[in-house]
Amino acid sequence: QVHLVESGGGLVQAGGSLKLSCAASGSIFGIPLMGWYRQAPGKQRELVATITNNGDTNYGDSVKGRFTISKDNRKYTVDLQMNSLKPEDTAVYYCYYSAPGFTSWGQGTQVTVSS
């Protein structure tokens, strides 16, 4: 129903910055919640940030003050600007879409932060 494609992952040194983008296509219903989750090897998937259709944002405690989520309604994209990256930010980052009765996940993009 909704297809999500992430881009922008890669390798960056600690303290550096990286921007992830998520492009959504398909049927959009109601007021969707979109955002980013991440999962490191051996760990559960955790919230990074979400943003509503109206622009209300929510961040995981570990990324507050460092990451910024934004969206472009015209292009159906959601971006995640990641600053002051730490090695513990290393994970696969997944774009997330949620609407009444439907949830969709992107394929994930790898972010690796070196010391």
Side-chain angles (χ1 to χ4, degrees), residues 50-70:
T50 60
I51 186 167
T52 70
N53 197 48
N54 293 326
D56 297 320
T57 59
N58 185 46
Y59 295 91
D61 289 339
S62 64
V63 307
K64 288 181 179 178
R66 299 188 298 121
F67 292 9
T68 302
I69 189 170
S70 62

Side-chain angles (χ1 to χ4, degrees), residues 36-60:
W36 294 88
Y37 284 71
R38 67 186 183 186
Q39 187 168 23
K43 299 182 180 179
Q44 67 179 24
R45 191 169 298 184
E46 66 175 357
L47 168 72
V48 177
T50 60
I51 186 167
T52 70
N53 197 48
N54 293 326
D56 297 320
T57 59
N58 185 46
Y59 295 91

Side-chain angles (χ1 to χ4, degrees), residues 1-4 6 22 24-25 27-37 45 47 50 94-107:
Q1 188 172 1
V2 177
H3 183 60
L4 306 173
E6 304 100 331
C22 174
S25 62
S27 300
I28 307 298
F29 299 100
I31 305 176
L33 177 72
M34 296 190 68
W36 294 88
Y37 284 71
R45 191 169 298 184
L47 168 72
T50 60
Y94 296 91
C95 186
Y96 172 78
Y97 173 98
S98 181
F102 184 80
T103 300
S104 183
W105 293 93
Q107 64 181 357

Side-chain angles (χ1 to χ4, degrees), residues 7 13 18-19 30-31 40 43 50 58 70 81 84 89 99 107:
S7 63
Q13 289 186 315
L18 205 62
K19 187 175 81 172
I31 305 176
K43 299 182 180 179
T50 60
N58 185 46
S70 62
Q81 178 65 50
S84 301
D89 294 319
Q107 64 181 357

